[in-house]
Amino acid sequence: MDRSIRSRVAALERNGGGIGFGFLLVLLVSACAGSRGHAVERRPPTATPEAQGGEQNLSKDEHPSTSEGIVEEIFGVQIKDPYRWLEDAQDPGVQTWMSTRDLSTREYLSQLPGRAALKARLKELLYVDRRSAPDLRGSRYFYTVKPADREKALYYWREGKAGAERVLIDPNALSADGSISVGGVFPSRDGKYAAYLEKVNNADSSTLKLLEVASGRVLAQDQIEGLRYTSPSWTPDGGGFYYTWRPDDPSIDETERTAFAEFRFHKLGTDPKHDVTIHPRTGDASKWLGGGVSYDGRYLFVVIGSGWTKSEVFLRLASDDAGPFLPLTRGLEAQYNVATYGERLFVHTNEGAARYRVFETSFKGLKREHWKEIVPEHESAVLQQVDVVGGRLVLRYLKNAFTELQIRTLDGRLERTIALPAIGTASSLLGNEDQDTAYYAFSSFTYPNEIYEISVKSGAQKLYDREKVPAQPSDFAVEQVWYPSKDGTQVPMFVVSKRGIERNGKLPTLLYGYGGFNNSMLPGFSATLFPWLEAGGVFAMPNLRGGGEFGDDWHRAGMRERKQNVFDDFIAAAEYLIRAGYTAPRHLAISGGSNGGLLVGAAMTQRPELFRAVLCSVPLLDMLRYHKFGLGKAWIPEYGDPEDSADFQILRAYSPYHHVKPGVRYPTLLMLSADTDDRVDPMHARKFVAAIEAASTAEPAALLRIEVNAGHGGADMRSKTVERSADEYAFLFNQLSD
């Protein structure tokens, strides 16, 4: 099917449907996200900390109306929830609680030694030119350029490969304060029109707008409200597109809106209120609904995903408006993605193959007995993605968390493995199924982002663009080590440091993790890492269970009742770094965002003596009430249902908010929240900060920094990245120094 909707369910996590990565080093963990020029570049106790002599005096007075807190009996267990009042962000008392903490935290961080120098260095590193790969639609090329003197990337187009460069959209001009963002641009097949997603405060919610490319005129009548996690899929004639619509109806509880999502078709020039519903809502908030049309317009697909382990695919001939959708897959606990070429269907699946394989079939042979395996499961590598580019299959493998790209015939025969510049992370090929020229992006921890142009037929390739940064990546070394987790499982970890650095047990070390939703932590380049490395810091990133680095079994080993494995893997990574002589608990910090925020919250409450400082971003931390907020119900397949007695016991066993104990010296916490996070409710951050403030004997105990005009992924402006990163590094160096 058209690459804009292929791997629909898997793309929901990458583009925002699942719990995404946190703030710190977000460029690092999504280094290749910008390879598609038009795609997503790719979120009371009154304590007023005062900065006095580098420390804070924390008042811990309780909210007068809830001094006793709330105690509930759930499945026979008494559950205390003293800070439930902090769940209501509209309450004036909560707003005061947030603003006083954010203000005092920023004042405290601004006065830390070395922050000014860190900020200056970050500005040097981040304000550089960067260009994406071009995407050919009709005779027009679409791509992004991020000039060194602009806050946000601009979307460009040109007529023909050598045509004059013209601005399509300038997100910098959409709002004076940078609060309006572009979440993705999707040109029609002929390049005459482009749909784009406009976001306020970089939130997940978006409005789709349509413009005529040649004139730049926005077509007001085609504006569609109420979208989330959708990629418009154009018909080949450019007359309209398919999309997933989600109601923005305030009468529907936010946690239930995913259940009301519909798959629709919009015809250009018509009122979106009358768009045809192609597939009705599922009625189940734990399921994702999406779909699209194949590149040649032959087939129409609908995909229904249940969590990150199961998807069902249905299709019909696009020309048969009244025909039923026929099941390609139904009822099996496996993932399925489909690529097409003419009448051929290529099914990429982990059915009976944890590391995935490829079958070929056709519309006339949808039943399982007609499928033919053409690419068997690899003995040691995970097949992450399958595309049809230039009349061939392009396979993207992951082996020990490194990328391998293969080009095969449509019958599955290997023609060549693409020679990558080094060991690192590459995107799949960006190109069309009927054109030979394609592009891919490559980077690694110490290898700046590069884009290559390649001939699919011959394999000949050349450098198209390279990011130039004012740093010496060759001064730093990357090592991949393996260590045993608590149950003996061997877990790999990347360790990045100055070349030849002495392991003296005192190196300031930052351990970053995620471990969930089948997301793979891969080596990618981020200029924001260099101030840490240049100052002698060590950066470590383990490939925890719960991720997708080693296939479906690795993911399942870190979800639901096995979630503790993820925390054990992370704690064992810290113990390895200490045992190997890199660092000691006094010099060790941990960082994670979103699901990774849950990870560091669990680690600091289970092993507080092992770490000195914690960076926790847009996290989940109250695992007994997570399903009552935002998109929480969509994550029940990954975590479990707190309203099920068995799942409740599992969640209660590690829920960080419920394991904060008074009188413990917890690592000093810097909590990074966002004011308009519409994915993971900021109530998790507020309640946990309040609990740590009241319980911890550390000084300071907890700092709360709230990014304004920002969603779950933070703000998309370079200046805000500089300020946030300077705060983070100043905090870490202050905490981890002797």
Side-chain angles (χ1 to χ4, degrees), residues 8-21:
R8 170 67 56 195
V9 177
L12 286 167
E13 168 61 17
R14 293 191 296 273
N15 294 337
I19 305 180
F21 303 108

Side-chain angles (χ1 to χ4, degrees), residues 402-582:
F402 293 116
T403 302
E404 180 179 294
L405 294 177
Q406 293 183 358
I407 295 177
R408 293 176 178 256
T409 66
L410 295 178
D411 295 324
R413 179 177 56 83
L414 178 65
E415 282 193 334
R416 68 180 53 86
T417 297
I418 296 176
L420 299 178
I423 293 176
T425 302
S427 68
S428 190
L429 298 192
L430 174 64
N432 295 318
E433 67 175 42
D434 55 357
Q435 292 168 335
D436 181 57
T437 300
Y439 300 85
Y440 71 91
F442 177 85
S443 73
S444 190
F445 288 115
T446 58
Y447 203 104
N449 297 286
E450 293 183 342
I451 297 171
Y452 287 85
E453 180 180 290
I454 186 171
S455 163
V456 178
K457 182 178 180 179
S458 70
Q461 57 180 317
K462 61 182 179 181
L463 181 67
Y464 176 82
D465 190 74
R466 173 186 288 131
E467 180 180 9
K468 298 179 178 65
V469 294
Q472 294 296 327
S474 60
D475 291 344
F476 307 97
V478 181
E479 182 182 10
Q480 187 179 46
V481 300
W482 294 76
Y483 64 89
S485 188
K486 183 178 180 179
D487 62 0
T489 298
Q490 290 292 312
V491 180
M493 176 167 58
F494 295 105
V495 181
V496 191
S497 64
K498 274 187 176 180
R499 194 173 296 279
I501 197 168
E502 179 187 357
R503 299 186 194 178
N504 59 11
K506 297 181 180 181
L507 300 175
T509 300
L510 179 60
L511 177 63
Y512 177 87
Y514 188 78
F517 292 89
N518 205 31
N519 264 330
S520 299
M521 298 290 98
L522 308 181
F525 185 80
S526 173
T528 59
L529 184 58
F530 281 87
W532 180 254
L533 298 175
E534 290 167 348
V538 175
F539 176 76
M541 186 176 76
N543 299 114
L544 310 172
R545 281 176 283 187
E549 294 89 343
F550 298 97
D552 188 54
D553 291 344
W554 194 253
H555 171 213
R556 290 177 183 272
M559 58 179 282
R560 297 185 71 96
E561 73 277 8
R562 301 182 181 91
K563 190 65 179 177
Q564 183 60 40
N565 285 339
V566 184
F567 312 140
D568 290 342
D569 290 354
F570 195 60
I571 290 168
E575 292 173 332
Y576 170 85
L577 292 167
I578 295 168
R579 189 168 62 249
Y582 287 98

Side-chain angles (χ1 to χ4, degrees), residues 48-58 103-112 703:
T48 306
E50 301 292 342
Q52 298 179 350
E55 295 294 335
Q56 292 179 314
N57 297 320
L58 303 181
L103 182 63
S104 59
T105 291
R106 289 176 182 271
E107 182 180 357
Y108 171 77
L109 294 171
S110 70
Q111 298 177 16
L112 290 176
L703 304 165

Side-chain angles (χ1 to χ4, degrees), residues 347-360 372-383 386 393 395 397 406 408 411-414:
V347 184
H348 170 221
T349 179
N350 61 356
E351 177 195 323
R355 292 183 296 278
Y356 292 82
R357 53 182 170 169
V358 182
F359 291 91
E360 181 192 351
K372 176 185 177 183
E373 183 182 73
I374 59 171
V375 181
E377 180 182 19
H378 196 287
E379 61 182 12
S380 59
V382 180
L383 179 53
V386 177
L393 293 177
L395 277 56
Y397 279 99
Q406 293 183 358
R408 293 176 178 256
D411 295 324
R413 179 177 56 83
L414 178 65

Side-chain angles (χ1 to χ4, degrees), residues 108 119 146 154 168 196 272 314 327 329 441 497 513 636 687 693 695:
Y108 171 77
K119 178 179 176 180
K146 199 167 189 177
L154 282 71
L168 181 69
Y196 66 97
F314 305 86
T329 66
S497 64
I636 286 176
K687 291 173 70 173
E693 280 183 347

Side-chain angles (χ1 to χ4, degrees), residues 7 30 80 130 136 180 186 189 203 219 228 292 294 335 348 426 445 457 472 483 506 515 519 530 638 647 677 680 704:
S7 304
S30 58
K80 296 180 180 180
R130 185 174 180 181
L136 179 60
I180 297 181
F186 306 88
R189 281 280 310 282
L219 308 180
R228 271 197 189 186
S294 62
Q335 292 271 29
H348 170 221
F445 288 115
K457 182 178 180 179
Q472 294 296 327
Y483 64 89
K506 297 181 180 181
N519 264 330
F530 281 87
E638 182 79 8
D647 287 350
D677 187 346
V680 178
L704 176 62

Side-chain angles (χ1 to χ4, degrees), residues 313-370:
V313 180
F314 305 86
L315 71 159
R316 75 182 189 199
L317 294 174
S319 59
D320 188 1
D321 291 339
F325 279 94
L326 303 177
L328 178 68
T329 66
R330 172 180 276 173
L332 297 176
E333 191 69 19
Q335 292 271 29
Y336 300 88
N337 303 299
V338 183
T340 69
Y341 190 76
E343 295 184 354
R344 305 169 84 165
L345 305 176
F346 301 98
V347 184
H348 170 221
T349 179
N350 61 356
E351 177 195 323
R355 292 183 296 278
Y356 292 82
R357 53 182 170 169
V358 182
F359 291 91
E360 181 192 351
T361 188
S362 68
F363 185 72
K364 296 179 180 179
L366 297 184
K367 292 185 178 180
R368 186 62 179 78
E369 58 264 28
H370 299 300

